[in-house]
Amino acid sequence: MAAAERAWGAAVGVVRLCRRFCHVATPHTFKKQPLHQYVRRPLFPLRAPLCNTVRFMFIQTQDTPNPNSLKFIPGKPVLETRTMDFPTPAAAFRSPLARQLFRIEGVKSVFFGPDFITVTKENEELDWNLLKPDIYATIMDFFASGLPLVTEETPPPPGEAGSSEEDDEVVAMIKELLDTRIRPTVQEDGGDVIYRGFEDGIVRLKLQGSCTSCPSSIITLKSGIQNMLQFYIPEVEGVEQVMDDDESDEKEANSS
């Protein structure tokens, strides 16, 4: 009997010793530990990876001769083979991106080129460093959305299309020079020049983008475009800038 009691006591002692070093708890003594002691959480919450890598597109900027205009180059085609001008917010009804850009306070006009976007601010007092972050974000969000750049196709303005069979020899030569020699150079500066007619030796042209309100636009017309046209086409006597009705009204309002 005594031996049995000693054996039982030894067994109980071994069990207690195991519980002490192995932390084995009975159902009556088990204590729940907080979950955070067993699960290591990151310092910052995990975010789902962005599915569209366009969000990380690198947009370059390029100065233009117009201090109020800046050329934004998204690194991908914009309109590829043509240009589109939005001189006022009302003209942006057919482009979701242009509408979004006009919502940024201080944006005066928007212009789409083959691979760039020109944004013109309202005045020189506005700092580009304040406008550029919103413009960057708007352009990146648009390309990430996958929306079409233009939702409503509109016919090109008169004279913007290439030479046609109805053009005489002089007009055809004027359009060819504009398309091959003059427009590519103007587009490098964030603008464009559109043919609007030829009458009595005067070539009527419309400036777009950064060239619209550029201080050196007259120099561009007279010393650049006019001299080149007169050199190749003797029938050209001069060049005249034309404006649309809404642009003329805006210019008169600003001058008054």
Side-chain angles (χ1 to χ4, degrees), residues 68-212:
N68 290 333
S69 297
L70 199 60
K71 189 175 175 182
F72 293 82
I73 307 173
K76 60 184 305 178
V78 180
L79 285 181
E80 296 188 359
T81 59
R82 58 176 298 192
T83 61
M84 187 172 290
D85 191 28
F86 305 96
T88 63
F93 69 93
R94 59 186 183 275
S95 173
L97 176 56
R99 291 198 301 268
Q100 292 295 329
L101 289 172
F102 271 113
R103 292 179 182 177
I104 301 174
E105 186 175 358
V107 171
K108 179 182 179 181
S109 64
V110 178
F111 177 80
F112 294 160
D115 59 354
F116 65 88
I117 300 167
T118 298
V119 177
T120 301
K121 61 181 181 177
E122 292 179 348
N123 52 64
E124 295 183 1
E125 285 71 24
L126 290 172
D127 190 354
W128 275 119
N129 292 326
L130 300 178
L131 292 175
K132 284 195 288 188
D134 289 337
I135 296 175
Y136 287 144
T138 300
I139 295 175
M140 286 192 295
D141 289 342
F142 174 80
F143 279 105
S145 69
L147 293 174
L149 190 73
V150 179
T151 56
E152 181 178 341
E153 287 295 335
T154 56
E160 184 175 351
S163 300
S164 64
E165 295 180 358
E166 298 179 358
D167 294 337
D168 59 25
E169 184 179 356
V170 175
V171 172
M173 292 177 63
I174 293 173
K175 289 185 176 181
E176 182 179 358
L177 274 176
L178 286 173
D179 291 339
T180 59
R181 301 291 296 275
I182 297 174
R183 294 185 65 194
T185 302
V186 177
Q187 288 176 4
E188 288 181 1
D189 291 333
D192 201 0
V193 55
I194 305 301
Y195 173 82
R196 283 298 178 85
F198 176 69
E199 186 177 357
D200 297 331
I202 303 299
V203 180
R204 304 174 73 244
L205 301 174
K206 174 178 170 55
L207 298 178
Q208 295 182 334
S210 63
C211 301
T212 303

Side-chain angles (χ1 to χ4, degrees), residues 25-34 38:
T26 63
H28 302 285
T29 59
F30 181 82
K31 183 179 180 181
K32 283 188 176 181
Q33 299 295 333
Y38 300 97

